[in-house]
Structure formats: structure tokens, C-alpha cells
Amino acid sequence: MEPFLSVALEEAMKGLSEGGIPIGSVLVYRGNILGRGHNRRVQQGSVILHAEMDALEHAGRLPASVYRQCTLYTTLSPCAMCSGAVLLYGIPKVVIGENRNFRGEEDLLRARGVELLIQDDPACISMMQDFIREHPALWFEDIGK
């Protein structure tokens, strides 16, 4: 597993241990982590704190020139909201742990020139698969169904 995806997986496990949804994300610039986060919708009672949004929030306010050189690592394919943030800030590359349990807006991202690398990681797949099986109502709430 790629080292930065491992950090995203650590974030996902942290979220699960807090009673939340196990998705993690890391924003990386020139080999350095600028922000890391996990889905905290349950923990914070938030409608927007998906893992990618949390990582961006923890990175803080950055110049557009920095975002345009970043890679976003995420354990799960990004939803419409998180994909919109990738496009808004011009993040050129997203490394996705898995897209079997949920396939987000990958076609939109590719159409707009974002490079996607799907890792098909067994740990990411099994963690989400187990969570969805054990907490279907919470999962469907998180993805807006």
C-alpha cells in the first residue's frame, strides 16, 4: 500500500473508533502532508465533514498554486461534494483506495482532467464492506439516499 494511502486508512480507522463512518483522506504537496482527516459527520453532527472535506479543512487556507500541485489520497471514491472541491481547487490527482463499495464522480473528475489512480486495496474494501453491512442506515444517510 502506498504510504500516504496508509495514512488515509489510519484516519478511516480513527473515524470508525469514534463511532463514525470509516473513510479517511490526506492532502499531499511535494511529498508532505498538508492536511489529514476522516469522515466526522456523526461525531460533529455535520452535513459536510466527509473525509476529503476534513483533510482540506485541516490543510487550511492555501494559495491556488499549491492546490494545483497536490495529490489527494482517499480510502473511498469521492462523492459529488468532495469531487466538486477537487475541481474547485484544481487538485490534479486523486489516489482512491477503492471504488467497489461506492463509485463516486470519477467520470466527472476524469472529464475535467483529474488523474485518478484506483488502488483496489483489500483493507479499504473490507472495511467499507463490513461497515455498510453493519450500519446500512448510517451509510445511506452519508451518501444522501
Side-chain angles (χ1 to χ4, degrees):
M1 177 183 286
E2 288 196 23
F4 294 120
L5 188 57
S6 293
V7 175
L9 186 58
E10 288 172 14
E11 285 291 324
M13 291 186 287
K14 183 176 179 182
L16 184 62
S17 74
E18 296 170 353
I21 299 161
I23 304 168
S25 187
V26 179
L27 184 68
V28 176
Y29 173 72
R30 295 183 177 173
N32 296 305
I33 295 174
L34 297 181
R36 56 191 288 169
H38 54 277
N39 187 304
R40 295 189 305 137
R41 288 186 66 249
V42 173
Q43 301 91 312
Q44 298 293 318
S46 171
V47 298
I48 62 166
L49 276 181
H50 283 193
E52 299 88 343
M53 304 299 274
D54 196 39
L56 288 167
E57 181 68 17
H58 282 114
R61 187 173 164 207
L62 301 168
S65 61
V66 171
Y67 290 115
R68 288 192 298 263
Q69 297 178 57
C70 284
T71 298
L72 183 69
Y73 292 78
T74 182
T75 58
L76 187 66
S77 183
C79 73
M81 175 178 64
C82 297
S83 294
V86 167
L87 295 175
L88 177 67
Y89 292 108
I91 298 169
K93 182 176 179 182
V94 179
V95 177
I96 299 170
E98 71 106 343
N99 64 358
R100 290 187 190 189
N101 288 294
F102 176 77
R103 189 171 189 276
E105 300 298 323
E106 294 175 19
D107 293 339
L108 172 64
L109 290 170
R110 281 190 186 100
R112 297 282 296 274
V114 177
E115 178 185 0
L116 301 182
L117 298 175
I118 313 299
Q119 300 299 299
D120 211 23
D121 181 77
C124 293
I125 293 167
S126 63
M127 182 173 47
M128 278 310 303
Q129 193 171 35
D130 293 346
F131 181 81
I132 292 168
R133 184 182 61 251
E134 295 167 12
H135 306 282
L138 184 54
W139 169 245
F140 289 123
E141 174 192 321
D142 192 62
I143 60 171
K145 290 190 177 190

